[in-house]
Amino acid sequence: MAETARPWLTVIGIGDSGLATLPGEARATLEAAKTVFGGERHLAMLGDSPARTVAWAKPFADSVAALKASTGTPTVVLATGDPMWFGVGATLTRHFSPEDMWVIPAPSAFQLAAARLVWPLADCRCLTVHGRPVETVNRYLAPSARLLIYAEDASSPQAIARLLTGRGFGPSRIVVLEHLGGERERVRATTAAGFDLADIADLNTVAVECVTGRAATSRSLMAGLSDDAFVHDGKMTKRVLRALAIAALEPLPGQQLWDVGAGSGSISIEWLRSDAGMSAVAIEPVAERRAMIAENAAALGVPELAIVAGEAPAAFAELAPPDAVFIGGGLTDGVFDAAWDALTPGGRMVAHAVTLESEAILIALHAKLGGELMRIGVERAEKVGPYRGFKPAMPVVHWHVTKGDAP
């Protein structure tokens, strides 16, 4: 059987020791390339190369355009370690088909760090703060959790130490692993609260073994965080109704939520915390509440939450179609119709109402579109003089429906 032709675009992972450690397949592909893309550090390894070399541009979209201009000619992209693990290879899959790409990985920094520490890699959370806010780490802080984190640069280890200390995880062990797999490899350990490492290389990976201090607060990734996990002004879907809403929204990996009239952002934040690869848009017209949403998103480890200023439905105009929509209020003025029209087939809609007018709208929508309609009353034990009694909160009408399930 004839050998299948290789794609025109090859992504090659390089270890810290440089091109000398490349396997023969990668070396032959690199020598045959007409154009080589990469960071300045990687391109400097080529020396006097006959290939045209192109350093990554800012913004990266310009580099994608340049790569597309090379379509059909032998082209190589140089990357660090495993390009498909928080690397440029993963980014390029959003712009090129699998038929266009061939990936030759080197061991990732995660693999090397786990080997040095003798940590089973499957038991570790592998994260990155390269090009991302350090607050991303907040989501995964839990007793005895082991985190492996790609650093942005030399400042990342101390930034992570400060974050841990501020969250009450000061006793946690931090290991900084520099230039893994190379001649300059160095592994040093300290604690978050006592961080004292200096002269850290830009190329480093941070390992964290979480240990709780007295002030530590761990937050479950399950839906239904306590209300005190959020900064709010009272406009927030409370714990019991929030857990029900998230369950009805049925978060699935890679899907997008519109949180309409987001308030504190509690619904969109818990949606993002449910799994990796989720996306969410919190739509909120009040500036003070948008500031609270941003604060809550950072504190709970999902700083990637997109916050949109504006009134619904006008704010929907520039947004990608959602896979799920939550409407916590404001069902009038065409909000539901616009959201329903934008919702993808098979998408889930959840709406809550507390006023008689909004209840009437949901009752009519249930008759028209089906789904499940329920009225929830929650009573909490509170002090009544020297005794205790159940105090009822305002009842909430909850409706959820899947698009396409109309009776």
Side-chain angles (χ1 to χ4, degrees):
M1 182 180 289
E3 185 178 346
T4 304
R6 287 283 176 82
W8 62 272
L9 176 59
T10 304
V11 185
I12 298 176
I14 304 174
D16 195 75
S17 293
L19 303 182
T21 59
L22 289 182
E25 174 192 28
R27 208 173 293 181
T29 303
L30 183 58
E31 289 173 356
K34 300 298 183 184
T35 308
V36 180
F37 287 77
E40 292 181 2
R41 181 174 67 90
H42 292 134
L43 296 179
M45 298 176 185
L46 296 175
D48 187 15
S49 171
R52 181 173 70 97
T53 58
V54 183
W56 295 128
K58 293 183 180 180
F60 188 75
D62 293 344
S63 293
V64 172
L67 267 172
K68 288 183 176 179
S70 297
T71 299
T73 62
T75 303
V76 164
V77 167
L78 297 179
T80 298
D82 184 349
M84 303 305 289
W85 208 339
F86 295 128
V88 69
T91 302
L92 293 178
T93 60
R94 298 197 287 270
H95 304 280
F96 299 92
S97 72
E99 292 75 23
D100 287 327
M101 295 175 61
W102 183 261
V103 180
I104 306 174
S108 71
F110 292 145
Q111 292 172 287
L112 294 171
R116 299 295 183 272
L117 298 168
V118 196
W119 288 3
L121 187 54
D123 297 338
C124 299
R125 286 281 188 181
C126 297
L127 315 173
T128 182
V129 295
H130 191 281
R132 306 184 190 194
V134 71
E135 287 82 7
T136 302
V137 176
N138 279 332
R139 178 177 171 185
Y140 300 102
L141 298 182
S144 303
R146 285 176 168 176
L147 314 178
L148 295 175
I149 308 165
Y150 282 157
E152 171 74 23
D153 53 31
S155 68
S156 296
Q158 187 165 42
I160 292 168
R162 287 174 180 158
L163 180 143
L164 289 164
T165 303
R167 291 294 303 274
F169 284 79
S172 298
R173 179 175 176 242
I174 290 184
V175 183
V176 179
L177 306 100
E178 304 160 86
H179 290 288
L180 281 166
E183 295 179 355
R184 293 177 290 170
E185 180 176 308
R186 180 168 59 173
V187 178
R188 294 181 288 171
T190 183
T191 63
F195 191 89
D196 57 357
L197 303 183
D199 189 31
I200 297 171
D202 281 329
L203 192 61
N204 72 83
T205 300
V206 182
V208 177
E209 196 161 23
C210 292
V211 179
T212 55
R214 291 183 180 179
T217 300
S218 299
R219 302 288 188 189
S220 172
L221 294 177
M222 297 296 290
L225 291 175
S226 62
D227 294 342
D228 64 10
F230 302 90
V231 176
H232 63 92
D233 61 0
K235 188 177 187 331
M236 180 180 74
T237 303
K238 301 299 195 295
R239 185 178 199 169
V240 174
L241 273 299
R242 188 181 341 116
L244 174 61
I246 295 295
L249 288 166
E250 300 181 24
L252 294 171
Q255 294 196 332
Q256 174 163 268
L257 168 76
W258 286 2
D259 184 1
V260 182
S264 67
S266 63
I267 292 289
S268 44
I269 287 169
E270 293 231 40
W271 167 277
L272 289 173
R273 285 170 58 85
S274 68
D275 205 339
M278 313 293 288
S279 63
V281 179
I283 302 163
E284 174 55 55
V286 180
E288 291 79 8
R289 288 176 182 156
R290 292 197 299 274
M292 286 190 287
I293 293 171
E295 182 178 348
N296 288 329
L300 292 167
V302 288
E304 68 272 21
L305 173 61
I307 303 171
V308 173
E311 296 274 1
F316 301 163
E318 303 300 322
L319 303 180
D323 303 289
V325 176
F326 177 75
I327 303 176
L331 282 163
T332 55
D333 301 322
V335 171
F336 172 80
D337 289 339
W340 184 254
D341 289 344
L343 186 65
T344 57
R348 285 84 59 204
M349 169 74 73
V350 175
H352 286 178
V354 294
T355 67
L356 293 176
E357 291 77 11
S358 294
E359 282 188 16
I361 292 172
L362 291 190
I363 291 169
L365 287 170
H366 175 250
K368 177 182 178 182
L369 298 172
E372 188 170 358
L373 184 69
M374 60 185 81
R375 195 175 190 208
I376 312 295
V378 177
E379 299 183 1
R380 292 183 173 83
E382 296 186 7
K383 282 248 181 188
V384 181
Y387 306 105
R388 291 174 299 150
F390 284 104
K391 182 177 181 180
M394 283 187 69
V396 175
V397 173
H398 165 103
W399 175 59
H400 67 260
V401 64
T402 298
K403 191 171 184 179
D405 284 355

